[in-house]
């Protein structure tokens, strides 16, 4: 991936997260659907890569120790209302 704008990267994260949630809900009722399981794993890996990329290029996306990068550094970044 080349360098994306912050807004574009946030959008891609939202899309991947939505796909993961949707597939997870589907797999709750269809646990034997291997194609859906493969799709879920692909989207999940993509989501983790996108979150890592966001953390490295902009700031930790998730606070309170949930970020894959340094915990606590989100405090020093812009707040949502400052964007």
């Amino acid at each position: 991936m080349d360098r994306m704008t912050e807004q574009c990267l946030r959008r891609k994260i939202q899309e991947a997260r939505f796909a993961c949630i949707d597939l997870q809900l589907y797999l709750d009722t269809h646990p034997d659907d291997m194609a859906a399981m493969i799709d879920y794993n692909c989207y999940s890996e993509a989501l983790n890569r996108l979150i890592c990329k966001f953390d490295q290029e902009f700031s930790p996306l998730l606070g309170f120790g949930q970020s894959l990068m340094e915990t606590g550094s989100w405090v020093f970044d812009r707040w949502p209302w400052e964007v």
Side-chain angles (χ1 to χ4, degrees):
M1 280 187 226
D2 18 26
R3 185 157 170 84
M4 295 184 219
T5 65
E6 183 176 356
Q7 183 178 3
C8 179
L9 193 51
R10 281 184 189 268
R11 180 66 174 186
K12 289 191 175 296
I13 289 169
Q14 289 172 340
E15 291 169 357
R17 185 173 286 144
F18 176 82
C20 285
I21 292 169
D22 196 42
L23 285 164
Q24 185 178 23
L25 291 171
Y26 175 80
L27 286 166
D28 283 346
T29 57
H30 301 81
D32 297 327
D33 189 339
M34 294 313 293
M37 180 61 73
I38 291 169
D39 287 345
Y40 174 80
N41 289 334
C42 288
Y43 278 107
S44 180
E45 289 172 12
L47 177 60
N48 285 331
R49 282 193 308 272
L50 289 167
I51 290 173
C52 282
K53 183 175 179 63
F54 191 92
D55 285 355
Q56 291 171 349
E57 291 187 14
F58 301 105
S59 67
L61 187 62
L62 306 171
F64 304 104
Q66 298 173 7
S67 179
L68 301 174
M69 302 305 284
E70 284 186 40
T71 56
S73 60
W74 58 271
V75 174
F76 302 106
D77 199 37
R78 294 174 302 184
W79 291 91
W81 55 87
E82 294 176 333
V83 175

